[in-house]
């Protein structure tokens, strides 16, 4: 659980971004929701890793985006803008000297755009096997030269 000081610091970072030039022209829905959604995202990332905002890394930021923000009830255009908005915030934090590797983190978060879109729609990612299924009459993968059923199948 983040303390009040850290939440206030994150709110200040986000307010500086949304009221500055880096925020740019965005739709009215994005402008209305940006502060709350960005704060929820950064708080979720910090709590997930139990670290200060200065120490956030890409896995926590991506996970918070995909697992927390994607589940929020937001207008579709806000969800669509979220990966770019997160990237722009992190880049702005680096430009302000508040986050050392913000651009790099921002690019990593922005690459989660497709996965974020699937998560907002509630789609489950289909897993595929890298190779074909091993049959009982195939040669054993241990290299013995025997059929799998006569060699390692029972182990």
């Amino acid at each position: 659980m983040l303390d009040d000081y850290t939440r206030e610091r994150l709110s200040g970072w986000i307010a500086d971004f949304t009221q500055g030039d880096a925020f740019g022209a965005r739709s009215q829905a994005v402008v209305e929701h940006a502060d709350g959604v960005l704060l929820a995202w950064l708080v979720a990332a910090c709590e997930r890793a139990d670290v200060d905002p200065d120490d956030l890394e890409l896995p926590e930021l991506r996970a918070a985006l995909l697992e927390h923000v994607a589940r929020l009830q937001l207008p579709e255009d806000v969800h669509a803008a979220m990966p770019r908005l997160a990237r722009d915030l992190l880049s702005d934090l680096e430009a302000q000297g508040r986050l050392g590797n913000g651009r790099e983190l921002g690019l990593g978060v922005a690459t989660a755009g497709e996965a974020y879109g699937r998560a907002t729609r509630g789609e489950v990612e289909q897993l595929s096997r890298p190779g074909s299924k091993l049959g009982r009459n195939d040669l054993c993968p241990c290299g013995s030269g025997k059929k799998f059923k006569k060699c390692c199948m029972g182990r």
Side-chain angles (χ1 to χ4, degrees):
M1 189 79 167
L2 288 183
D3 58 20
D4 291 338
Y5 171 74
T6 305
R7 282 181 185 272
E8 198 62 36
R9 187 168 62 144
L10 287 173
S11 293
W13 288 4
I14 292 166
D16 288 347
F17 167 68
T18 57
Q19 295 168 9
D21 294 336
F23 190 65
R26 314 262 179 182
S27 73
Q28 184 61 33
V30 172
V31 171
E32 290 174 10
H33 291 88
D35 288 336
V37 175
L38 290 171
L39 181 61
W41 170 58
L42 289 177
V43 167
C46 289
E47 288 178 346
R48 179 179 175 80
D50 195 27
V51 296
D52 283 337
D54 305 329
D55 300 326
L56 282 172
E57 294 188 10
L58 185 57
E60 293 90 23
L61 291 167
R62 285 179 62 114
L65 185 70
L66 297 174
E67 296 169 9
H68 183 73
V69 177
R71 293 183 182 145
L72 296 176
Q73 297 296 321
L74 299 169
E76 191 173 313
D77 59 334
V78 175
H79 272 304
M82 215 23 232
R84 262 189 57 210
L85 190 61
R87 180 200 66 200
D88 294 347
L89 169 66
L90 293 170
S91 295
D92 186 58
L93 290 175
E94 181 178 352
Q96 294 177 16
R98 294 177 170 168
L99 193 61
N101 57 345
R103 283 195 180 96
E104 180 183 324
L105 292 173
L107 291 174
V109 168
T111 61
E114 283 185 38
Y116 180 77
R118 285 192 302 272
T120 60
R121 294 186 297 274
E123 296 175 5
V124 178
E125 187 175 346
Q126 296 293 323
L127 301 178
S128 63
R129 189 178 304 221
S132 62
K133 185 176 177 183
L134 182 63
R136 44 185 287 122
N137 287 320
D138 292 335
L139 290 177
C140 188
C142 75
S144 67
K146 298 180 184 179
K147 289 186 177 182
F148 179 60
K149 67 182 177 185
K150 296 274 187 181
C151 187
C152 293
M153 187 170 153
R155 294 184 195 167

